[in-house]
Amino acid sequence: MENSFLLFISTAITALAVENAVFARGLGMDNEVVFIKDPREGLLMGGVFGWVVFWSAWPISLTNYLLRGRSYVMIIRPPMYLIGVLAVCLLTHYLSRKYLKNEKLADEIRGTLPVATFNSVLFAVFFLSASQNFVLTQTLGYAVGSALGYTVAIFVIYYARKRLAISAVPRSFRGLPILLIYLGLLSLALYGLIGHNLPT
Amino acid sequence: MKLSKVRRYRKKSKLIAALFAHSPAVMIGLCLPFLIAASVSLRAAATLSLELLAVHMGSTGVALLASYYCPRRYRLPVIVTASTLLMVVMRLLLMVLYPAIVDSLGIYIYLMAVNGLTLTQTRALEDKAKPLPVLRKAISNVLGFSAIMFLLSLFREYWGSGTLWGVPVPAPVQLPGVLVPFFGFILVGFLLAATNLINKKLLGLAIRESALREARFTVVDEDVQL
């Protein structure tokens, strides 16, 4: 039990910081993520993404277990993942319509659901879990860590854009170019966390 | 500058504009994960471009059909299912052509099923959209992505691995850091800035051309009046 908890925590921290999907791999850099309008929208995106990734991790982990060692795993895996994610998405849609009292919030969740679900980060979490032969605890830890890391990345991007918009930046670099250079430097810092020594 | 010269320049720059300055991969940052992390060799660029061609064109075709026969709220799941199936088929085909590259690309081969370019553009399709303009736009988007992908890959493969299309090429210095995603962010940032500059230049040329044309017609009108 203790061992499982430690596995969960260590994979979650790895996914959150060292292997942050946005900063370390450039994933999830879609239009909707880069250009969120206010922090509430970012929180909603992160929350819905976390919900979908956490509940999808259960059927997908079971799929990985059942398909382990099969020769056709590479062909069957993507459609199976898609079915798992789609099921969670539809269930969330249904639950928000049926049980959520706050109509406005339910509408917002349903609006965010497609962007948060059909997202490269979400699918990357499961493909990376499979390629590293994670057990259920590790897959869940990786999913939770990735969700937190994704939310952090959304906020970092939001505040970076806000700061950069009022900075003196050459005209051609304004907007996305300077943001990407800023994220590149941040990514470099995280890359350094893994530990790279210069020759002496 | 003479009007004929401006026209000639504009004709040439039309291609540059379509491939770089007006490409959605550059303009609004769609498909950025592939440009940032997977543009490490020319073969990888070719593999991903072929995959995008199949996935994007196929999904656009399905989205066009869906715009006629499927209610709007069910379209996205239908499109993602189609793009996933196309990705699986393309992966099998690419495994025959470039097995080592497909292996080295890892998750990025699978993630083409949910690429931002396809999802954003197919979601934006209106009801009963006209097929020809949509398909024309789709193919120009794929070409734009491929052009940028090849440009970035050329630079990164040469400086990072000292090879071009896997063939060793003498390079003054080898910088393995060029192949890491952080450099991808920075390089794409500079490329975007360069395209902004091209955009500005093209806009200036267009304004100058229209001003020249206006001036010429004014002179002709005055001649007629005389």
Side-chain angles (χ1 to χ4, degrees):
Chain A
M1 186 69 191
E2 196 181 320
N3 201 15
S4 297
F5 181 70
L6 281 175
L7 267 178
F8 178 89
I9 294 292
S10 65
T11 34
I13 291 171
T14 307
L16 170 65
V18 183
E19 288 183 23
N20 186 299
V22 180
F23 300 132
R25 296 179 202 271
L27 298 170
M29 294 288 294
D30 299 313
N31 196 13
E32 286 87 348
V33 177
V34 179
F35 298 106
I36 61 157
K37 286 173 199 80
D38 56 80
R40 194 176 177 276
E41 195 183 323
L43 204 62
L44 191 72
M45 173 77 84
V48 174
F49 176 83
W51 169 272
V52 176
V53 81
F54 180 77
W55 292 111
S56 306
W58 295 84
I60 285 171
S61 194
L62 182 69
T63 310
N64 283 342
Y65 177 74
L66 293 175
L67 292 176
R68 194 163 288 170
R70 312 266 172 176
S71 56
Y72 51 84
V73 64
M74 294 298 188
I75 303 166
I76 203 82
R77 195 181 269 158
M80 292 300 283
Y81 285 6
L82 182 66
I83 292 168
V85 170
L86 262 176
V88 173
C89 177
L90 291 174
L91 200 68
T92 310
H93 199 277
Y94 172 77
L95 290 176
S96 69
R97 190 179 283 271
K98 191 92 177 166
Y99 295 107
L100 211 61
K101 295 275 189 290
N102 188 338
E103 282 288 319
K104 197 184 163 214
L105 182 66
D107 278 346
E108 283 175 340
I109 287 174
R110 284 197 293 275
T112 315
L113 204 52
V115 188
T117 306
F118 303 112
N119 182 316
S120 52
V121 180
L122 191 130
F123 284 87
V125 168
F126 299 129
F127 283 117
L128 286 168
S129 303
S131 69
Q132 295 177 79
N133 291 323
F134 280 170
V135 292
L136 176 68
T137 332
Q138 285 172 304
T139 308
L140 288 174
Y142 204 74
V144 171
S146 296
L148 288 173
Y150 187 58
T151 314
V152 168
I154 289 173
F155 279 97
V156 167
I157 290 171
Y158 172 74
Y159 285 108
R161 277 181 60 229
K162 227 173 149 181
R163 285 287 171 103
L164 290 169
I166 52 165
S167 306
V169 175
R171 189 175 281 228
S172 324
F173 282 88
R174 278 180 205 164
L176 199 54
I178 192 68
L179 179 69
L180 285 176
I181 292 168
Y182 172 82
L183 291 177
L185 296 175
L186 212 61
S187 172
L188 175 60
L190 280 174
Y191 180 65
L193 259 183
I194 308 168
H196 291 274
N197 296 324
L198 285 171
T200 50
Chain B
M1 197 184 280
K2 283 182 181 174
L3 184 60
S4 58
K5 206 174 171 186
V6 172
R7 273 194 187 142
R8 229 177 15 246
Y9 185 85
R10 202 182 171 202
K11 231 176 213 175
K12 275 183 197 167
S13 63
K14 234 178 185 175
L15 185 70
I16 300 170
L19 292 183
F20 295 103
H22 298 157
S23 165
V26 171
M27 293 280 284
I28 44 176
L30 301 177
C31 269
L32 273 180
F34 303 99
L35 297 175
I36 289 166
S39 60
V40 289
S41 74
L42 286 169
R43 284 187 194 180
T47 309
L48 286 173
S49 299
L50 280 173
E51 196 186 13
L52 183 70
L53 180 71
V55 171
H56 190 59
M57 295 309 290
S59 304
T60 307
V62 171
L64 274 169
L65 282 175
S67 76
Y68 281 86
Y69 304 110
C70 184
R72 187 166 272 273
R73 60 181 167 163
Y74 298 122
R75 275 183 213 163
L76 192 60
V78 169
I79 292 161
V80 177
T81 308
S83 67
T84 305
L85 295 176
L86 283 163
M87 179 274 292
V88 171
V89 174
M90 266 320 277
R91 192 190 167 278
L92 286 173
L93 285 174
L94 290 167
M95 272 302 275
V96 179
L97 286 172
Y98 309 115
I101 302 296
V102 172
D103 277 342
S104 73
L105 280 170
I107 58 163
Y108 290 96
I109 275 281
Y110 296 109
L111 295 183
M112 196 55 90
V114 282
N115 75 78
L117 185 70
T118 306
L119 293 188
T120 309
Q121 302 224 315
T122 50
R123 272 179 71 197
L125 274 187
E126 56 198 32
D127 289 340
K128 296 185 179 171
K130 285 182 182 168
L132 266 182
V134 173
L135 290 172
R136 201 181 302 138
K137 195 177 165 193
I139 195 113
S140 80
N141 290 342
V142 174
L143 288 176
F145 169 81
S146 304
I148 295 159
M149 191 76 187
F150 272 99
L151 194 71
L152 292 172
S153 302
L154 182 80
F155 184 88
R156 290 175 85 177
E157 189 179 354
Y158 179 69
W159 290 107
S161 319
T163 59
L164 284 177
W165 200 268
V167 180
V169 176
V173 64
Q174 210 165 310
L175 306 162
V178 166
L179 303 173
V180 184
F182 77 78
F183 189 78
F185 275 107
I186 295 169
L187 194 63
V188 174
F190 275 95
L191 186 81
L192 260 62
T195 54
N196 278 348
L197 213 65
I198 293 173
N199 251 344
K200 220 170 84 182
K201 203 152 192 153
L202 288 175
L203 190 70
L205 273 171
I207 291 168
R208 188 185 285 187
E209 191 194 344
S210 69
L212 274 171
R213 188 180 291 158
E214 213 167 87
R216 206 177 82 165
F217 283 133
T218 316
V219 172
V220 170
D221 285 349
E222 278 171 9
D223 285 349
V224 171
Q225 277 171 12
L226 284 170

